[in-house]
Amino acid sequence: MDKKEQEAFAHKEELRQEFKKKTYIEDIERTIYDVKDADNSIYKTQEGLTEEVVRDISARKHDPQWMLDFRLKSLAIYNSMALPTWGPSLDDLDMDNIITYVQPNAKMTGNWKEVPEDIKNTFDRLGIPEAEQKESLAGVGAQYDSEVVYHSIQESLVKQGVVYTDMETAIRDYEDIVKEYFMTLVPPKDHKFAALHGAVWSGGSFVYVPAGVHVKIPLQSYFRLNAAGAGQFEHTLIIVEPGASLHFIEGCSAPKYNVTNLHAGCVELFVKEGARLRYSTIENWSRNMMNLNTKRALVEKDGIIEWVSGSFGSHVSCLYPCSILHGENAKCEFTGVTFAAKGQDLDTGASVIMTAPHTSANINTRTISKDGGKATYRSAVKVTRRAPDAKCSVNCESLMLDNKSRSDTLPVMDIEGDRADIGHEAKIGRISDEAIFYLTSRGIDEDEARAMIVRGFVEPIAKELPLEYAVEMNNLVNIELEGTMG
Amino acid sequence: MNNDLTVFSRIPMRTWRWLGVNEARVAGPIPEKQENESLLVEAGKTEEYILTRRAGAQQNVDIRIEDGAKLHLVNIQLVPTDETATSRVKVTVGKDAEFRYTVVEAGASQAMSELDVNLAGNDSKADIWGLYFSDGSRKVDLNYTIRQAGRRTDANMQVRGAMLDTSEKIFRGTLDFIEGAKGSVGRENEEVILLSPGVRNRSVPIMLSHEDDVDGHHAVSVGRMDEDKLFYLMSRGLDLPNAQRLIVEASFNPVLDRIPDEALKQEVDEYLQGRLANHE
């Protein structure tokens, strides 16, 4: 190295150190998401999980006998299963301290005015009814703790036979359909938390789109967990009949408590022949949440499932939406972004199982970790012998904003037969000094330059979201980055 | 090291059990015959070493490459197809030192192989080129890890493979960037050509990072023969088996070309060609 080079190197090193100094700053407050409301619930089960608790929940929800039997069978499976041997530590979770059912002081209503003031305020703060009034949503559901407190759907959709309601109503009014599909795609035996869900599930949404009906404006359910030390176990069941289409949005948040809350929801999506379903999620649970959610889609011939998944919140997350491409030509698009900050261990990804010819999947993810956060990308692509000419392309990129954080990728491809075409690509790295240098030399200040690069990094995901959510995601990214850059 | 007879090797981070990739398991007994090697490359020296395996055995190789030294290790496995061959190669690489590795897993009923490279010194380098070939009902199970602990380390893991008949293979390749491995780069690439409808291929490219100032890439491509290439070759008058053979050969060549001993290279080449021809 000659002297000039040495100087340049020293300068670069200096710049680098300077950048790094700015990295360690506490998170800022999560403002609107963290507002706690007084716990006005009218009933809570006792803590822990026993047969009495399960029977109690079932009786309060006026379950039919088959559902009570199902719950008890699930409880037995739960008790017989071990915790998973992989993934983030679940040591913070003590089921004996989790309240599995919290009934809010509100009855399900289709009229926003009837929702109690405190609950209404919460959702108002989160901008939920606003979006409905602006008609950017065709239907809205809102769940507060264990029960859905509000559900509405546009009249025109009802006329076309679209059903959008809470699961309790669905069991009452569409019992045959629910009985046919409920937990068939994610059976309680799937894993310990699926069994837990089967035993204590409550709330959630039921959507039925009849053949050929296109729901042009999205439906949205919002889940809010307010009670401390509680669990939320909502069940979402969506059936999109042949040739129909739907965009469903799910949002989640909770204020922060010092005790662990648990979310073990379950989403089952049935996409029939030639149907199309887009399922978007922005998950922003507080940092005391264990988010152990299970999502799965079964896609028939020529059907399309599109997942858009943003994971920002929670203390620990295990979330891997699974698509089973069961019919010829079925397709899956998965777009995900995960942002792990201080105290977070977010284990996210996707899995695709291809069991029919000419199926194809595209998985595209971005993960960011900062300030000691741990982000893991985990995926599985399985091509069985029944799926000749399957195609799959996976692209995952990880950005680390400092060296206190961790970023791991663990993809598995399992391919049978000789006619598959599978590509996988992954990258890990930091924001390059060159990129920062270039932008600052163009007169952009350094913080803005970094924010620009991160926004550019998540852009492929942001552009898949509906506008309001893209804005929300950008805000979340900005909130996180302000913490980074001070 | 574990002495469990069934579990031969494990990946550094577990995943879903149903995929069956968390552990490499040996069916039946591990061969009793041991081939143990311990190599020390002294500071500043450059050495080349060739290991050839022609009978089922368990190979254990322990290597230390001191500061500024270089080693090229060539490890060729041509074990008869009814015998089990296992291999465990453990390497520590010092400051400014370099480990080059050329490995061919072509024979054995079960070829189990664990490679563990520790780039401990600053500016150390690992350049790994592996080739596997499986046919019949043979099993190939590989678990390669490069730990990048020093600053400005450079890791390159390139693996090529071809699979026939009802053979099965698992390749796990891990790049592990340890905290403090500032300025390190790592690349990992696997290319698999699948030649029969009965094969099962599992690929697990893992990348772990505890350091932001790194540049890690991995890529896997699994698939059938490139039809354009086949079409081109066949339009030039080659029949299908010959065209296929040529494409496989082209994919293997970057690995085979690194074998320094001409006679050995010729032998491996003929062995592979013979097996490919048998298939037709």
Side-chain angles (χ1 to χ4, degrees):
Chain A
M1 237 191 273
D2 66 20
K3 205 175 165 217
K4 213 169 160 188
E5 271 175 344
Q6 265 172 7
E7 268 171 23
F9 184 77
H11 179 64
K12 205 171 152 188
E13 194 58 28
E14 218 172 83
L15 275 178
R16 193 182 277 193
Q17 290 309 327
E18 207 172 292
F19 287 151
K20 283 180 184 169
K21 260 186 280 170
K22 301 196 172 179
T23 317
Y24 311 114
I25 287 164
E26 289 293 297
D27 280 344
I28 69 151
E29 214 191 334
R30 290 156 29 94
T31 55
I32 54 165
Y33 303 103
D34 268 337
V35 177
K36 289 173 206 168
D37 293 296
D39 184 351
N40 290 332
S41 57
I42 49 168
Y43 181 77
K44 285 181 184 175
T45 53
Q46 64 194 82
E47 292 169 351
L49 186 61
T50 59
E51 190 177 323
E52 288 71 61
V53 169
V54 173
R55 283 184 183 277
D56 184 26
I57 293 172
S58 185
R60 293 197 157 259
K61 302 183 76 65
H62 310 291
D63 277 349
Q65 184 63 36
W66 66 269
M67 184 53 84
L68 173 64
D69 295 344
F70 188 91
R71 287 180 188 275
L72 293 173
K73 197 183 79 191
S74 301
L75 178 67
I77 295 169
Y78 173 83
N79 286 329
S80 70
M81 278 181 111
L83 282 168
T85 52
W86 50 272
S89 159
L90 302 175
D91 293 349
D92 291 344
L93 178 66
D94 181 359
M95 270 316 290
D96 293 338
N97 288 324
I98 296 284
I99 304 160
T100 50
Y101 179 73
V102 181
Q103 189 179 358
N105 185 14
K107 284 226 153 51
M108 223 292 280
T109 171
N111 186 346
W112 188 244
K113 292 200 181 84
E114 287 171 14
V115 176
E117 208 58 31
D118 56 333
I119 297 176
K120 200 154 66 177
N121 287 343
T122 311
F123 287 109
D124 277 336
R125 266 198 307 273
L126 297 164
I128 310 306
E130 202 186 338
E132 187 191 7
Q133 280 148 23
K134 280 193 287 184
E135 295 194 348
S136 51
L137 295 172
V140 168
Q143 176 162 346
Y144 197 82
D145 291 331
S146 296
E147 292 290 355
V148 175
V149 294
Y150 173 69
H151 242 286
S152 78
I153 179 169
Q154 277 178 6
E155 201 50 41
S156 60
L157 290 175
V158 177
K159 280 189 190 134
Q160 293 179 77
V162 176
V163 178
Y164 177 41
T165 183
D166 62 296
M167 277 305 289
E168 281 71 18
T169 308
I171 287 196
R172 207 177 54 230
D173 298 353
Y174 307 94
E175 188 173 349
D176 292 348
I177 304 180
V178 175
K179 208 171 168 180
E180 185 185 342
Y181 290 98
F182 184 82
M183 289 198 89
T184 51
L185 199 48
V186 182
K189 276 193 179 138
D190 210 72
H191 57 86
K192 196 169 175 74
F193 296 97
L196 174 64
H197 179 91
V200 299
W201 77 273
S202 175
S205 295
F206 172 76
V207 186
Y208 179 85
V209 186
V213 173
H214 297 283
V215 181
K216 294 198 177 78
I217 311 173
L219 301 178
Q220 181 190 329
S221 285
Y222 201 96
F223 301 99
R224 174 84 180 167
L225 184 54
N226 186 60
Q232 194 169 53
F233 307 94
E234 87 289 350
H235 194 92
T236 303
L237 176 60
I238 300 180
I239 298 152
V240 188
E241 291 287 8
S245 70
L246 171 71
H247 183 184
F248 187 85
I249 305 170
E250 165 194 79
C252 328
S253 73
K256 179 157 173 95
Y257 291 100
N258 291 325
V259 293
T260 301
N261 278 17
L262 171 66
H263 176 235
C266 177
V267 175
E268 296 182 289
L269 311 176
F270 295 86
V271 182
K272 299 297 175 69
E273 197 172 320
R276 184 185 194 115
L277 171 61
R278 171 174 275 227
Y279 195 92
S280 304
T281 308
I282 288 285
E283 175 272 303
N284 190 25
W285 294 116
S286 58
R287 306 275 165 87
N288 58 321
M289 180 68 87
M290 304 288 264
N291 181 34
L292 311 172
N293 216 0
T294 310
K295 299 182 179 180
R296 201 163 293 166
L298 181 70
V299 189
E300 304 289 350
K301 185 168 182 269
D302 296 322
I304 300 176
I305 177 78
E306 297 171 295
W307 303 92
V308 180
S309 184
S311 297
F312 290 87
S314 84
H315 167 48
V316 169
S317 266
C318 293
L319 179 63
Y320 328 94
C322 170
S323 313
I324 302 168
L325 304 182
H326 189 57
E328 198 172 344
N329 235 344
K331 285 188 177 57
C332 161
E333 288 274 338
F334 181 90
T335 316
V337 61
T338 297
F339 199 137
K342 189 177 181 180
Q344 291 186 283
D345 186 346
L346 306 186
D347 200 306
T348 59
S351 64
V352 181
I353 297 168
M354 298 163 127
T355 61
H358 301 285
T359 45
S360 65
N362 215 332
I363 300 176
N364 197 355
T365 68
R366 300 285 184 274
T367 62
I368 303 170
S369 55
K370 69 144 210 184
D371 209 10
K374 184 174 175 198
T376 304
Y377 169 80
R378 187 186 300 271
S379 71
V381 173
K382 181 163 176 81
V383 178
T384 68
R385 276 185 219 294
R386 282 174 291 161
D389 301 308
K391 276 200 173 89
C392 180
S393 130
V394 182
N395 184 322
C396 53
E397 292 186 26
S398 307
L399 186 63
M400 293 178 74
L401 298 179
D402 57 67
N403 67 348
K404 293 200 298 182
S405 306
R406 240 204 115 94
S407 184
D408 297 334
T409 44
L410 206 177
V412 178
M413 282 145 274
D414 184 353
I415 320 295
E416 292 175 335
D418 62 342
R419 284 167 65 185
D421 186 355
I422 311 296
H424 171 97
E425 234 184 293
K427 280 184 209 160
I428 286 185
R430 66 200 283 260
I431 296 177
S432 80
D433 295 337
E434 285 77 10
I436 298 279
F437 180 77
Y438 175 80
L439 290 168
T440 48
S441 76
R442 300 278 146 165
I444 293 160
D445 78 43
E446 193 188 303
D447 291 353
E448 181 52 26
R450 294 193 144 232
M452 264 171 95
I453 292 168
V454 174
R455 279 199 295 267
F457 181 76
V458 298
E459 160 71 17
I461 310 328
K463 74 168 201 270
E464 295 298 326
L465 292 168
L467 184 65
E468 292 80 7
Y469 278 83
V471 171
E472 183 179 343
M473 189 176 107
N474 257 332
N475 286 339
L476 286 169
V477 169
N478 284 346
I479 287 171
E480 295 293 355
L481 287 177
E482 273 172 54
T484 313
M485 291 173 298
Chain B
M1 223 168 261
N2 76 79
N3 296 314
D4 191 336
L5 279 180
T6 49
V7 176
F8 176 74
S9 185
R10 290 185 164 86
I11 47 174
M13 189 175 158
R14 295 171 65 84
T15 189
W16 297 297
R17 207 186 311 169
W18 60 270
L19 292 161
V21 298
N22 286 329
E23 295 97 11
R25 291 175 189 274
V26 185
I30 291 180
E32 276 174 24
K33 191 181 153 209
Q34 298 207 358
E35 289 171 359
N36 296 333
E37 299 277 348
S38 186
L39 299 173
L40 172 71
V41 187
E42 286 171 19
K45 294 244 170 80
T46 299
E47 283 183 30
E48 191 162 67
Y49 205 81
I50 300 179
L51 298 169
T52 334
R53 289 179 280 156
R54 294 176 200 279
Q58 46 170 310
Q59 179 188 59
N60 290 297
V61 184
D62 232 312
I63 299 173
R64 213 172 93 221
I65 305 172
E66 291 188 337
D67 294 353
K70 280 182 184 161
L71 171 70
H72 181 200
L73 178 69
V74 180
N75 192 355
I76 309 291
Q77 186 264 101
L78 301 171
V79 169
T81 52
D82 55 353
E83 293 174 35
T84 296
T86 71
S87 162
R88 225 187 272 281
V89 177
K90 208 167 154 46
V91 191
T92 308
V93 188
K95 203 176 129 206
D96 284 312
E98 185 181 338
F99 175 59
R100 291 180 70 209
Y101 189 46
T102 304
V103 55
V104 174
E105 298 280 356
S109 57
Q110 296 182 85
M112 317 285 294
S113 168
E114 180 185 87
L115 169 70
D116 180 6
V117 179
N118 186 9
L119 294 178
N122 292 344
D123 302 290
S124 54
K125 239 179 127 169
D127 187 28
I128 315 292
W129 286 76
L131 185 163
Y132 61 81
F133 174 80
S134 64
D135 60 0
S137 56
R138 297 173 46 228
K139 291 185 172 52
V140 176
D141 201 328
L142 313 173
N143 187 15
Y144 295 178
T145 306
I146 305 180
R147 279 165 53 89
Q148 303 190 240
R151 289 181 170 228
R152 298 173 300 275
T153 59
D154 183 335
N156 183 26
M157 195 192 287
Q158 300 288 332
V159 175
R160 302 291 154 86
M163 298 178 65
L164 289 171
D165 306 329
T166 55
S167 61
E168 289 185 20
K169 164 247 134 187
I170 304 177
F171 172 69
R172 312 168 188 79
T174 304
L175 297 177
D176 187 0
F177 295 100
I178 309 293
E179 189 175 353
K182 292 186 185 307
S184 291
V185 295
R187 287 168 303 281
E188 180 189 331
N189 189 17
E190 186 196 1
E191 284 176 33
V192 195
I193 301 177
L194 309 175
L195 292 159
S196 308
V199 297
R200 180 177 187 191
N201 169 65
R202 277 174 278 184
S203 298
V204 190
I206 304 176
M207 199 150 54
L208 310 174
S209 181
H210 219 311
E211 171 61 50
D212 65 321
D213 189 4
V214 296
D215 186 2
H217 279 253
H218 64 199
V220 173
S221 86
V222 183
R224 58 203 299 185
M225 289 247 166
D226 185 331
E227 281 180 3
D228 291 341
K229 281 185 197 164
L230 274 179
F231 179 80
Y232 175 81
L233 291 171
M234 289 170 76
S235 74
R236 299 277 147 166
L238 283 175
D239 62 4
L240 181 66
N242 275 313
Q244 282 186 337
R245 212 169 303 151
L246 206 62
I247 291 172
V248 173
E249 206 179 313
S251 140
F252 283 178
N253 271 342
V255 185
L256 297 178
D257 283 346
R258 287 162 59 106
I259 301 173
D261 180 326
E262 262 321 306
L264 182 60
K265 183 181 159 185
Q266 190 79 24
E267 187 191 343
V268 176
D269 205 17
E270 276 164 17
Y271 180 92
L272 291 173
Q273 291 298 343
R275 296 281 287 278
L276 271 166
N278 262 344
H279 157 67
E280 253 53 69

